[in-house]
Amino acid sequence: MSCSLLEFCRLQELKTVRDYLFHNQTPEPLEEKSQTADNELSWDTSDWESAWDSGNNKEEEEGTAAATVEEETAGQSEPWLQDCVVSLSPCADLLVVAHEHKAVFLSAKWRTDESGREEMTLAVSWTGTLNTEEGECVSSSICIPLASQKRSSTGRPDWTCVVVGFTSGYVRFYTENGVLLLAQLLHEDSVLRLKCRTYEIPRHPGVTEQHEELSILYPAALVTIDGFSLFQSLRACRNQVARAAAAGSDMIQPPPLAYKKWGLQDMDTIVDHSSVGIMTLCVFDQMKNASILGGFNASVKGSPPAMNQYVTVGGGPYTGFYYAIEGSSQPLLSHVALAVASKLTSALFSAASGWLGWSKNKNEEEAVQKQKPKVEPATPLGIRFGLPDSRRHGESISLSPCNTLAGVTDDFGRVTLLDLARGIAVRMWKGYRDAQLGWLQVSEEQGDREFSPSASLPRRHALFLIIYAPRRGILEVWAMQQGPRVGAFTVGKHCRLLYAGYRLMGVNSVTSQGWQLHTQQVCLLDPTNGALRTVNIPFHLALSDKKSERAKDMHLLKRLTTILRSREVEPDFLEREGKNVLLDIKHPAIKKQALESLLSHKNVPVSCLTNITHTVFDTLKQQDPEEVDTALLQLCSSQLKMLQLYSDIQQLHSAAEIEADLENDSLEGIEDELSSVGPTLKRYAELTSRPSVSFAQDSPDSPLPAQAFLSQMECTEGGELKVVRGSDTDWNHLGNFLFWDCLCGKCPLHKVCDRLQQAGISPQQLLSLLLSMWLQREKEVLQKPNETVRNLHALLIALSNMKGAVEVSWDPQSISPWWQQVRTTCIQSHNVAAALLAALVAYRAAKASITSRADSKLQSEWEAVSLELEQWVVCVRQLEDVLVLQTLLLVPPSQGAAGGTAAQCSIKTLLEGGTGGIADNVSKWVFRHNLSPERLKEIVQKKEGKNMDDKVEQQAGEGRKEEREKSQEDTERTAELLVAVCQRFPHSLSPDLLFAHCCWEYVVQWNKDPEEGRYLCWAVEHLKLVSSPHIQLGISTMMWSTFVVKRFSAATFLIEKVGKAPKDRLCRRDVGMGDKAMTSFLGCCVQLLQILMEVTGVLVKNQCPLSFINYYADSAVEEVSAPELSVEEVWSGADGPASIAELALEQRGVHYPLVQHHCLLASLLHAAMTFSLKMKPLSLFDSKGKNAFFRDLTTIQLMPSGDMDPGLVSLRQEFLLQVLTNWVQALDDPSSSDSGTGSSPLPSSGPKAGWWPSLCLELGSLLQVNPDILRRHLVCELYNQGLDLRAEEVMLEVEDKDVLGSQLLVLTGQRLCYSLLHSQSQTQAAMELLARLPPTLCTWLKAMDPSELRCPLVPLSQTSRLVGRLIEILPENHAQYVLALHLLEAVEALTTED
């Protein structure tokens, strides 16, 4: 935990940089340089050598020697970098190296080194000359990163501006690519130094928030440019440059720079400065200053003025302190000289300010040079006070990040530390000629705070001064203010220490929220290899001397951590190092931390851990008891106990001896019980042993490392061990470690139990570990059930006999907490088979225990009856039921079914699921298996028709069936399994309950995916199978109000808005399903409402099913009694939500006319969607009818009554006629099928369904449309289509035969006209016949239009029959009777000729 130098970046092409900057210059011979350096170094160095040569610096000396050799071998280049102006961006992504008038910009790039590691490098991105006036050279430069204004920014700079000061007085601003943005001549003298201050987040409320600014020092003046003004100007200029480069467009004048210019007086020479920022004096200092400056009678203002503090170094005095009161000088506004350079254009804007292009001819250059910009005069600023030292001349000043301290170097080789608030020197170092200074502020780490007395206070910061002494080639780190030297590094003699002292410009208190500003505070540039290194200082070095115990302890702890992290370490080496480190650490808290990190590391062997802990424990025992830390002593003692227990258990597991198999009387009869549930267990094992993916480290067979064992154990105050319950995985791992080998019969279980009892672990915890492990390893247990059951019984007995397991005072008539723990675990477990086996074993063990207690008390032959045993009987019965149910649920669905994961059942989940929990699980299984309602009905009826005895035979025969693996037999086995479940739950899975839950499950799944119309159809089919009208009524009402009515109303309003059957896109948008799904949905709505009407008719007195009369129905009078719902005796403790059937029975009766009203609307919508008809459904009803729609079906609404408006009736009639026409057209073409004969059966659904005509007639009677008109229309349409036989069937029901006769006469004429006049095969006989016909008939036939016939090619025999029918139905006195007779003759004549 000491200081370190970390290389974070390398410079590429250093030689290229040097060659470019020093081109055509002959370097001095290297020998002379080194000779002068040696001469300069010949002074008395005893003052610093004594501090350097301390005992703790052996490592540093070794490093020094190594570095010196390395440098000598590499061959040191001449110190060219010291002659250059070098500046680095705080973000370390841009480096500027300038010499005289040339400059090189190096930008950050990532590259992959030989080992494949990504590393950052700085590569040359731009080179060029910067001078525009003859003879001017670069005198100072800085790189200012500008913050991004984007909201998504997290603290990276948008771009970096390079600011360069020249000997001519110009300050020029460039982009990273060397493009000149703007130039300013603010004072006609050489620029000495450029410095920048940026926003810092205040650490605490008392700190004054500082403004951003750029300060420019001239020999007798100081210019400060406001940061906000500069930021906006630079952004504007950059945008203009980008536009000009792209298009050469016109540009706007950017905002002028706001700056202040001070003439610094009363100081002979100034070479460097620091702008400290705004400060406010305390009242005492204000009064002191007033009396010194203004005398005894000076007046004092009420509030101290805010002042800008500037500190300068140079000569006469050596350090000067200047204070500029805010508001004493108005900011000056400069005209910004905007520069745009591209390959094509180079223009000059704003003649008021000077900027020189680099591609002008001489005349232009001279003209521009003549008109130099106007330079504003400086505001005089007198020195407040200084540190006078006539012989000492300051060389540089470096301001600390907290703005309270500054380091000053001078020509006497001294470094002075200034306290800026008090204006005094507080410390001085000597022997640092040509020193370079930097500062580093370090924040307190989380780990350091744990040992800190101020852990509750805000985060602390430590300040360090970095001094680079180039004459000696060393870099030193000193703690502030009076702290020791905490680090020293040997570096080259020609390095440059780069300290920016600022961060990003353009940041404020709002935009900096949540930013992570990654900036380097101090960097050391080594020109010999191009490495950029930063100093890393741990916070704790600021707290104490390097020789303090705590710092040394932290260092040792870090060393131990490093050893533990290395992958391959020899155990002997690890043990040796671990002992040494732990014995060397003095601080008890750190020693405890080191020991804990060692004990928690997974790669340390047990023997190594034991030996190290023993050593520490023995050492502590030998010390004075009063000095020993008790917590550390207890830790060693408890860890040793746990390690010993771990080793003993491991040895017992590897022991070859196996205990003799003790036959136990209490296990008698368990084989019979196992064989009775054997077939189900076998089927369950088959279904659970399907392959699955798991991680190797999660495998229960993986060995438990000592560290995991220790992490789950803790020592109580009494010295006994206690298991700490962690995650289920860790708990099961521990159970595996302790008991699995015992269950497999691989180790002596009684010895293991004795050792655990001896360790003091409570039997209840051991029982919990045993049962958790048993339930988790269900698959392995079911492979050898007999052997594992026997060992489990022995383990349970052994644990029961432990002290503290079963209470001595336990009365068998009450419930024992010990056996209750076993029961609770079995009840909660989802691994039902293992739970059942555990319950059978525990039942036997408990029974034996109770019997032995009863025998000792009563000495009788009576069997002891106990509440405990009653609980066990119920538990075993429940587990048997759950096992069969879980086996059914595990049966995987066939391919193409809905799928999904199988539900996991336990007694607890079923009881919490309420009375309908079991039926709910089975209904989900039915859905997953895509079991049709008819198939489910078959299986359930099979159950009802068979006896229990037959079922047992079937189960026994299951084993034989498994040999023949065929899909049909698998289906049969699944059906038998379902039957077995239904027989185990005769009440919970009664047919009505099962169908009701299946109906609800399907409608819920349909609601999730309305595109699957089949789900809703099957929900309705399941509903039809429910025999109880009360349940049917309740579920229908719930389905309608919960899922259906919302989509139904949306569909109605959509069709009403569109005026026809809507397209797929509109259906999806408004109703949430496609057009086909919507058609199916509306059909299901009709069926659902019909069921509601039927059920209401059955339940309500004098109400016949489907009577369709507007009759007010009050469903209070009922004839059929409601069913009583019951559950099985062992499941009577169910406590949870009410079942669907219970909710259904609570529903109120519905208002029959309102249901009928909705059914009417649903039928109309279904017809419109099926036949794609134009229609506005709500316009077929009056205002009462419209208002009654989508109301709660249980409420009584005002319904339409009396005669309807004739206009509405005609609209209704027109729609129903369209439906009939479309239905006839949808029927098969007579030429391609037998529909003409009327013998082919019609489908049960869709546009060809045979029930459409009867539905239309029924709707007609409800809509006050004359049904005879519909029948006549249907007859004509059927004849028109050529479906004569179907037409004859319908004709029998027509009442007004006269009108029908007239309509059919025209149709016959059209057929005859086609065959005589328009047929392609006109015969001579037909022409002769036409000539023989009476003129009236001939004229009448010619007037016919056969194009109206959809099927004109009808056999003559059919037309002959039609004419025969006509003669029958037309009365003799009918006006067209004669015409009909003529037609008959004509048809007969044609028939005889054919």
Side-chain angles (χ1 to χ4, degrees):
M1 295 291 280
S2 56
C3 296
S4 55
L5 262 182
L6 302 174
E7 182 181 325
F8 68 91
C9 183
R10 254 178 201 274
L11 269 65
Q12 297 288 309
E13 311 160 355
L14 255 182
K15 188 173 182 298
T16 313
V17 174
R18 191 187 63 185
D19 291 349
Y20 175 75
L21 294 176
F22 293 92
H23 188 53
N24 297 335
Q25 293 185 18
T26 52
E28 298 174 40
L30 190 61
E31 293 79 15
E32 287 179 31
K33 279 267 183 183
S34 43
Q35 186 66 40
T36 55
D38 289 344
N39 294 342
E40 285 171 348
L41 277 172
S42 58
W43 71 73
D44 181 19
T45 57
S46 56
D47 56 339
W48 57 267
E49 279 178 327
S50 58
W52 181 246
D53 297 331
S54 58
N56 283 338
N57 275 329
K58 289 177 184 173
E59 292 176 24
E60 290 166 7
E61 285 173 6
E62 288 167 15
T64 307
T68 312
V69 171
E70 190 182 314
E71 280 191 356
E72 284 171 3
T73 53
Q76 214 175 40
S77 62
E78 70 272 11
W80 61 276
L81 198 63
Q82 302 293 4
D83 302 330
C84 297
V85 175
V86 183
S87 59
L88 176 71
S89 164
C91 298
D93 56 359
L94 182 69
L95 179 75
V96 173
V97 186
H99 179 66
E100 293 181 352
H101 56 277
K102 294 181 181 177
V104 179
F105 293 2
L106 297 97
S107 298
K109 285 191 174 65
W110 288 90
R111 75 180 187 97
T112 309
D113 62 3
E114 293 78 11
S115 61
R117 208 163 35 84
E118 288 279 323
E119 66 171 9
M120 194 174 94
T121 62
L122 286 170
V124 174
S125 58
W126 183 85
T127 59
T129 55
L130 298 177
N131 68 321
T132 55
E133 292 195 359
E134 198 172 334
E136 70 174 356
C137 297
V138 176
S139 58
S140 181
S141 76
I142 56 170
C143 304
I144 306 178
L146 274 74
S148 171
Q149 298 294 293
K150 291 171 185 162
R151 285 189 180 179
S152 59
S153 174
T154 54
R156 294 301 301 161
D158 190 16
W159 61 291
T160 305
C161 178
V162 180
V163 188
V164 184
F166 291 87
T167 52
S168 62
Y170 267 100
V171 178
R172 296 192 177 92
F173 299 83
Y174 300 88
T175 65
E176 308 105 313
N177 303 320
V179 177
L180 178 61
L181 294 177
L182 60 96
Q184 286 296 142
L185 183 65
L186 301 171
H187 189 71
E188 290 184 313
D189 209 340
S190 174
V191 174
L192 296 181
R193 194 61 68 95
L194 296 168
K195 290 202 175 177
C196 180
R197 184 174 66 237
T198 54
Y199 174 79
E200 280 290 331
I201 300 167
R203 288 216 306 273
H204 47 82
V207 178
T208 312
E209 195 170 291
Q210 299 294 346
H211 297 301
E212 296 188 320
E213 69 171 23
L214 172 69
S215 56
I216 307 159
L217 181 69
Y218 297 92
L222 176 67
V223 173
T224 60
I225 301 176
D226 176 57
F228 180 74
S229 164
L230 179 65
F231 181 69
Q232 297 299 341
S233 296
L234 290 175
R235 281 186 65 216
C237 294
R238 185 166 179 262
N239 292 341
Q240 300 291 8
V241 165
R243 284 199 200 115
S249 61
D250 291 333
M251 291 178 295
I252 309 145
Q253 181 78 7
L257 290 178
Y259 69 95
K260 290 180 182 178
K261 183 172 176 182
W262 304 103
L264 303 177
Q265 299 180 333
D266 308 321
M267 195 159 167
D268 297 345
T269 55
I270 301 175
V271 293
D272 200 358
H273 76 292
S274 271
S275 174
V276 182
I278 296 173
M279 58 168 293
T280 308
L281 293 174
C282 66
V283 179
F284 176 79
D285 285 348
Q286 183 194 4
M287 295 172 79
K288 180 191 73 175
N289 290 345
S291 63
I292 291 171
L293 295 172
F296 180 74
N297 296 314
S299 60
V300 181
K301 285 184 183 176
S303 59
M307 299 180 289
N308 272 299
Q309 184 183 20
Y310 304 109
V311 184
T312 57
V313 296
Y318 150 66
T319 306
F321 288 80
Y322 292 87
Y323 294 88
I325 295 173
E326 280 285 281
S328 61
S329 168
Q330 288 301 317
L332 304 166
L333 293 179
S334 77
H335 290 281
V336 177
L338 181 70
V340 176
S342 68
K343 291 177 184 175
L344 305 173
T345 63
S346 174
L348 179 67
F349 290 85
S350 175
S353 181
W355 164 81
L356 298 174
W358 47 83
S359 58
K360 293 181 167 48
N361 56 39
K362 281 187 180 178
N363 297 338
E364 279 182 350
E365 269 183 21
E366 285 165 10
V368 172
Q369 279 173 0
K370 281 172 190 169
Q371 48 172 9
K372 281 212 168 177
K374 177 188 170 189
V375 176
E376 300 286 348
T379 305
L381 185 64
I383 193 168
R384 176 72 60 84
F385 60 89
L387 298 181
D389 189 336
S390 57
R391 294 175 58 221
R392 192 184 301 274
H393 287 268
E395 292 180 341
S396 70
I397 181 168
S398 178
L399 183 66
S400 72
C402 57
N403 289 355
T404 55
L405 301 173
V408 179
T409 61
D410 58 41
D411 57 350
F412 285 179
R414 305 285 193 270
V415 174
T416 310
L417 182 67
L418 297 184
D419 183 335
L420 299 177
R422 294 188 290 164
I424 58 171
V426 291
R427 193 170 181 186
M428 187 178 276
W429 293 264
K430 61 179 180 174
Y432 293 89
R433 195 171 292 278
D434 300 333
Q436 297 168 29
L437 305 181
W439 293 89
L440 200 61
Q441 189 168 266
V442 181
S443 301
E444 184 174 21
E445 293 174 12
Q446 203 61 42
D448 291 325
R449 293 183 68 76
E450 292 172 11
F451 305 110
S452 156
S454 58
S456 59
L457 297 175
R459 202 171 178 190
R460 297 178 297 174
H461 294 74
L463 195 61
F464 297 93
L465 176 65
I466 316 292
I467 307 176
Y468 169 55
R471 299 292 183 97
R472 292 188 271 157
I474 64 167
L475 186 78
E476 296 183 352
V477 182
W478 291 83
M480 290 294 99
Q481 293 180 18
Q482 303 297 333
R485 187 180 71 176
V486 295
F489 308 94
T490 302
V491 293
K493 291 186 178 181
H494 307 300
C495 301
R496 283 291 289 270
L497 186 68
L498 306 174
Y499 170 65
Y502 58 91
R503 294 196 183 197
L504 268 70
M505 182 171 275
V507 179
N508 57 42
S509 57
V510 178
T511 56
S512 63
Q513 293 296 321
W515 276 19
Q516 300 293 324
L517 297 174
H518 303 290
T519 53
Q520 301 290 353
Q521 295 186 57
V522 174
C523 299
L524 186 78
L525 173 58
D526 189 347
T528 55
N529 54 8
L532 262 178
R533 291 184 281 186
T534 184
V535 187
N536 181 39
I537 308 174
F539 177 81
H540 73 82
L541 292 181
L543 303 176
S544 61
D545 194 346
K546 192 178 179 186
K547 295 174 186 173
S548 75
E549 286 183 354
R550 195 180 164 286
K552 188 181 174 189
D553 286 353
M554 293 297 286
H555 184 70
L556 288 166
L557 175 62
K558 189 177 180 185
R559 189 164 134 212
L560 178 66
T561 312
T562 311
I563 293 169
L564 290 173
R565 276 188 193 146
S566 50
R567 291 185 181 176
E568 294 174 6
V569 185
E570 291 294 324
D572 296 341
F573 172 76
L574 186 61
E575 186 177 325
R576 188 170 63 252
E577 283 294 314
K579 281 181 185 175
N580 292 339
V581 167
L582 280 162
L583 292 177
D584 287 347
I585 292 175
K586 301 290 185 288
H587 201 283
I590 300 176
K591 185 175 283 200
K592 186 167 178 267
Q593 189 184 349
L595 184 60
E596 283 171 347
S597 67
L598 197 67
L599 289 164
S600 62
H601 202 272
K602 59 185 178 184
N603 294 336
V604 187
V606 187
S607 57
C608 180
L609 288 176
T610 311
N611 294 340
I612 292 172
T613 315
H614 252 304
T615 308
V616 176
F617 185 65
D618 294 344
T619 314
L620 291 172
K621 279 286 187 187
Q622 291 165 12
Q623 291 176 9
D624 185 3
E626 292 180 1
E627 294 177 3
V628 174
D629 185 69
T630 51
L632 185 59
L633 195 65
Q634 282 176 356
L635 176 73
C636 293
S637 165
S638 60
Q639 297 296 324
L640 279 172
K641 274 187 186 174
M642 295 174 205
L643 287 167
Q644 191 58 49
L645 175 63
Y646 179 83
S647 306
D648 291 349
I649 298 284
Q650 267 195 329
Q651 283 176 356
L652 285 170
H653 286 176
S654 55
E657 54 174 310
I658 305 296
E659 289 179 350
D661 193 11
L662 302 171
E663 282 299 327
N664 200 314
D665 297 339
S666 63
L667 265 178
E668 283 178 14
I670 198 162
E671 280 82 6
D672 299 337
E673 289 186 358
L674 284 175
S675 61
S676 68
V677 293
T680 314
L681 279 176
K682 191 174 180 184
R683 183 97 165 100
Y684 178 87
E686 278 175 24
L687 294 168
T688 50
S689 61
R690 293 175 179 277
S692 60
V693 176
S694 61
F695 294 100
Q697 60 264 36
D698 295 337
S699 165
D701 295 318
S702 58
L704 180 80
Q707 288 72 20
F709 181 81
L710 294 176
S711 67
Q712 292 188 73
M713 291 281 180
E714 68 177 30
C715 203
T716 60
E717 290 178 3
E720 295 180 342
L721 293 185
K722 175 184 162 191
V723 187
V724 182
R725 182 79 195 236
S727 67
D728 289 346
T729 312
D730 294 343
W731 190 255
N732 291 331
H733 262 303
L734 184 59
N736 271 313
F737 172 70
L738 296 177
F739 295 119
W740 179 244
D741 284 353
C742 300
L743 282 176
C744 297
K746 295 178 184 173
C747 76
L749 58 88
H750 282 97
K751 285 188 178 178
V752 172
C753 291
D754 291 344
R755 181 66 188 89
L756 291 170
Q757 186 176 11
Q758 187 187 335
I761 303 174
S762 76
Q764 283 76 12
Q765 285 196 318
L766 294 173
L767 178 65
S768 177
L769 284 164
L770 171 64
L771 292 173
S772 295
M773 181 272 306
W774 171 268
L775 295 169
Q776 186 224 2
R777 304 205 64 155
E778 184 182 61
K779 289 179 186 175
E780 293 92 331
V781 164
L782 290 176
Q783 287 169 5
K784 299 177 183 174
N786 290 335
E787 180 189 341
T788 49
V789 160
R790 206 163 28 250
N791 289 324
L792 176 66
H793 185 268
L795 264 172
L796 263 180
I797 295 288
L799 292 179
S800 306
N801 293 334
M802 276 189 188
K803 186 182 177 183
V806 183
E807 300 86 343
V808 182
S809 60
W810 172 51
D811 174 17
Q813 292 306 315
S814 63
I815 291 173
S816 161
W818 173 260
W819 296 114
Q820 182 61 37
Q821 184 185 345
V822 183
R823 259 198 311 279
T824 306
T825 309
C826 293
I827 283 169
Q828 292 175 349
S829 173
H830 291 293
N831 300 323
V832 193
L836 175 60
L837 294 177
L840 288 170
V841 169
Y843 174 41
R844 297 273 166 190
K847 195 172 181 181
S849 169
I850 291 167
T851 309
S852 66
R853 282 170 185 263
D855 289 350
S856 62
K857 289 180 184 177
L858 300 172
Q859 307 290 337
S860 67
E861 295 179 3
W862 292 89
E863 185 175 335
V865 178
S866 160
L867 181 62
E868 182 66 49
L869 295 183
E870 282 302 309
Q871 293 266 0
W872 273 119
V873 170
V874 170
C875 181
V876 169
R877 168 71 191 186
Q878 284 177 330
L879 282 166
E880 286 174 353
D881 289 353
V882 178
L883 177 64
V884 179
L885 176 61
Q886 184 66 66
T887 309
L888 172 72
L889 298 182
L890 284 171
V891 174
S894 57
Q895 285 184 337
T901 53
Q904 290 287 317
C905 283
S906 68
I907 297 176
K908 187 184 176 194
T909 54
L910 288 183
L911 288 173
E912 287 174 352
T915 49
I918 296 158
D920 192 46
N921 276 303
V922 176
S923 67
K924 284 183 168 60
W925 178 85
V926 167
F927 172 75
R928 282 179 61 232
H929 279 253
N930 215 0
L931 215 58
S932 68
E934 297 80 17
R935 175 68 181 139
L936 183 63
K937 186 182 175 186
E938 279 175 29
I939 294 170
V940 172
Q941 284 174 344
K942 187 194 294 182
K943 176 205 82 169
E944 290 173 337
K946 293 202 172 192
N947 293 328
M948 286 290 284
D949 300 340
D950 301 339
K951 183 70 205 94
V952 173
E953 286 172 20
Q954 283 177 1
Q955 275 196 337
E958 262 184 23
R960 292 191 297 277
K961 282 187 180 180
E962 280 172 19
E963 295 168 11
R964 305 186 301 276
E965 291 182 2
K966 292 178 183 176
S967 61
Q968 184 60 34
E969 289 178 4
D970 278 348
T971 313
E972 286 301 317
R973 283 174 68 193
T974 306
E976 286 168 8
L977 203 50
L978 179 57
V979 171
V981 172
C982 291
Q983 284 170 343
R984 280 206 161 264
F985 298 98
H987 302 302
S988 300
L989 288 179
S990 63
D992 273 5
L993 278 181
L994 184 55
F995 291 135
H997 276 271
C998 288
C999 165
W1000 196 254
E1001 178 62 27
Y1002 270 104
V1003 78
V1004 166
Q1005 295 294 342
W1006 167 80
N1007 190 50
K1008 291 177 184 172
D1009 184 10
E1011 281 296 316
E1012 285 288 346
R1014 178 173 58 92
Y1015 292 167
L1016 186 59
C1017 295
W1018 278 15
V1020 175
E1021 290 301 318
H1022 278 296
L1023 183 61
K1024 289 178 182 173
L1025 295 175
V1026 177
S1027 59
S1028 163
H1030 294 83
I1031 297 176
Q1032 251 188 340
L1033 175 70
I1035 288 183
S1036 308
T1037 313
M1038 286 156 57
M1039 273 173 70
W1040 175 260
S1041 58
T1042 310
F1043 300 110
V1044 178
V1045 70
K1046 192 177 175 186
R1047 291 185 193 273
F1048 179 64
S1049 64
T1052 308
F1053 291 129
L1054 176 63
I1055 296 173
E1056 177 72 18
K1057 185 168 75 175
V1058 177
K1060 59 179 181 179
K1063 293 282 194 313
D1064 188 76
R1065 182 182 62 81
L1066 289 173
C1067 294
R1068 288 183 192 281
R1069 188 193 70 188
D1070 286 22
V1071 193
M1073 58 183 94
D1075 52 353
K1076 288 181 181 171
M1078 190 161 117
T1079 309
S1080 163
F1081 161 66
L1082 291 168
C1084 292
C1085 289
V1086 176
Q1087 289 189 49
L1088 180 64
L1089 291 163
Q1090 283 177 348
I1091 291 170
L1092 256 175
M1093 293 196 305
E1094 283 180 29
V1095 173
T1096 309
V1098 169
L1099 289 178
V1100 180
K1101 196 175 182 182
N1102 298 330
Q1103 184 80 49
C1104 306
L1106 284 176
S1107 62
F1108 290 113
I1109 55 171
N1110 288 333
Y1111 175 80
Y1112 168 65
D1114 181 4
S1115 50
V1117 188
E1118 298 184 355
E1119 291 178 342
V1120 185
S1121 60
E1124 287 184 12
L1125 302 175
S1126 56
V1127 291
E1128 296 75 20
E1129 191 180 350
V1130 292
W1131 293 99
S1132 57
D1135 178 27
S1139 69
I1140 291 295
E1142 286 172 336
L1143 292 173
L1145 293 177
E1146 291 169 9
Q1147 301 300 309
R1148 291 165 56 201
V1150 293
H1151 183 44
Y1152 186 90
L1154 187 58
V1155 180
Q1156 190 184 48
H1157 191 54
H1158 279 88
C1159 188
L1160 196 57
L1161 176 64
S1163 303
L1164 294 172
L1165 295 175
H1166 186 216
M1169 285 299 294
T1170 305
F1171 297 111
S1172 301
L1173 300 176
K1174 288 186 176 180
M1175 164 206 185
K1176 284 186 176 289
L1178 297 178
S1179 61
L1180 301 182
F1181 296 90
D1182 61 4
S1183 57
K1184 285 183 190 172
K1186 289 176 186 173
N1187 289 336
F1189 284 129
F1190 319 123
R1191 305 282 181 185
D1192 187 355
L1193 297 181
T1194 59
T1195 58
I1196 295 171
Q1197 299 292 332
L1198 195 62
M1199 303 298 297
S1201 58
D1203 290 338
M1204 199 55 65
D1205 176 38
L1208 276 180
V1209 174
S1210 68
L1211 280 174
R1212 294 171 172 182
Q1213 179 179 311
E1214 186 185 342
F1215 177 72
L1216 292 175
L1217 294 177
Q1218 272 188 327
V1219 173
L1220 289 170
T1221 304
N1222 278 274
W1223 175 71
V1224 173
Q1225 287 177 0
L1227 294 177
D1228 289 337
D1229 185 20
S1231 59
S1232 62
S1233 73
D1234 299 330
S1235 2
T1237 64
S1239 59
S1240 64
L1242 293 174
S1244 61
S1245 62
K1248 295 183 186 178
W1251 43 261
W1252 281 108
S1254 57
L1255 176 72
C1256 285
L1257 292 171
E1258 200 160 359
L1259 291 174
S1261 63
L1262 289 168
L1263 294 169
Q1264 300 184 7
V1265 175
N1266 184 354
D1268 208 49
I1269 295 175
L1270 300 176
R1271 289 195 191 95
R1272 291 205 302 268
H1273 179 76
L1274 180 59
V1275 170
C1276 294
E1277 286 295 329
L1278 287 167
Y1279 273 121
N1280 195 346
Q1281 190 74 28
L1283 303 172
D1284 290 22
L1285 289 177
R1286 289 191 195 277
E1288 286 173 16
E1289 290 171 14
V1290 182
M1291 198 193 296
L1292 300 172
E1293 297 172 16
V1294 176
E1295 292 170 4
D1296 193 342
K1297 298 280 176 51
D1298 291 10
V1299 180
L1300 180 65
S1302 302
Q1303 291 170 323
L1304 292 180
L1305 192 67
V1306 174
L1307 205 137
T1308 316
Q1310 287 170 340
R1311 282 189 181 181
L1312 207 57
C1313 171
Y1314 181 81
S1315 56
L1316 289 172
L1317 301 171
H1318 297 275
S1319 175
Q1320 298 295 318
S1321 55
Q1322 281 190 339
T1323 58
Q1324 188 180 356
M1327 298 304 292
E1328 288 173 1
L1329 175 69
L1330 196 61
R1332 288 203 303 274
L1333 288 177
T1336 51
L1337 179 63
C1338 196
T1339 311
W1340 183 77
L1341 281 175
K1342 284 177 181 175
M1344 291 292 119
D1345 180 13
S1347 64
E1348 291 176 9
L1349 291 174
R1350 280 195 298 276
C1351 181
L1353 279 170
V1354 182
L1356 269 174
S1357 59
Q1358 285 190 20
T1359 311
S1360 173
R1361 277 185 62 131
L1362 174 56
V1363 178
R1365 293 275 181 219
L1366 267 174
I1367 301 295
E1368 286 174 19
I1369 63 173
L1370 283 177
E1372 290 185 8
N1373 60 355
H1374 195 274
Q1376 293 172 314
Y1377 187 75
V1378 179
L1379 196 61
L1381 289 172
H1382 286 318
L1383 273 174
L1384 183 63
E1385 289 172 9
V1387 170
E1388 283 175 351
L1390 270 173
T1391 313
T1392 51
E1393 286 190 12
D1394 281 354

